[in-house]
Structure formats: structure tokens, C-alpha cells
Amino acid sequence: EGAPYTAPEGRIFALTGLGTKNNSSLGVVLDLDDAEEVRSLHRNNGDNTAIGWDSATAKSVPIGFRATAGQVIALKRPNGETVQGDGRAWGYLVDQ
């Protein structure tokens, strides 16, 4: 939740969703070991007001995305700014 997370030893983090705590027209980006991997973008009307179904705060991600033990997951805005506690990555841990 808005802070880097390191997948624990012997475990795999399986990502199931990506989004924001609040309805944000900016969306969120997930970095894995400082490399951009997944984006959850929200369309807006050009004035930072979200529109329609695309304003959902959580988006599903393709099945199979994972972070292995020791990899660092971090969230940021698409423009590179810090998420400041608003970003969310949903998932679960499984044994490696």
C-alpha cells in the first residue's frame, strides 16, 4: 500500500489487481526492481475528473504476473511522481 514491498524468501507474490485508494484520474504504475511492469490507467475528461467505468479504483491484471523472492515491488504515478499512500497492489503469497 503505497510503499515498496519485498517478496519474502521462499514465497512468490501473485498480483491480481492494481489501482488507487481514491478515485484518481492518474492511475498507478507498478515497478518491479525499478523497472516498469504494469500500468493501471484511468481516463479522464481532460480536467482531472474521471469518467464512466474506467474510473474504477482497482483494475484486474493479466493472470501470471508475479514477483519472486527478493524482488521489490514499488508503486508510482504514470508521470513518475510518488504515489504517497494512494497506490494499491492486490495479490497473494504462495510457496516458491
Side-chain angles (χ1 to χ4, degrees):
E1 178 177 309
Y5 175 78
T6 302
E9 283 300 316
R11 307 297 297 266
I12 295 171
F13 176 80
L15 182 71
T16 58
L18 186 63
T20 56
K21 176 182 175 184
N22 300 303
N23 189 356
S24 169
S25 60
L26 297 175
V28 67
V29 173
L30 182 142
D31 283 354
L32 188 58
D33 289 337
D34 293 322
E36 184 178 312
E37 294 290 334
V38 183
R39 283 180 170 235
S40 173
L41 300 178
H42 304 284
R43 278 192 354 218
N44 66 53
N45 290 321
D47 60 0
N48 285 338
T49 58
I51 56 175
W53 61 269
D54 212 35
S55 64
T57 58
K59 306 278 188 184
S60 62
V61 296
I63 294 171
F65 181 87
R66 64 194 177 282
T68 57
Q71 289 190 296
V72 178
I73 299 166
L75 303 175
K76 65 182 181 184
R77 295 278 181 226
N79 61 8
E81 292 177 359
T82 303
V83 176
Q84 299 178 356
D86 188 39
R88 301 286 192 268
W90 289 270
Y92 57 93
L93 292 170
V94 293
D95 291 332
Q96 205 165 14

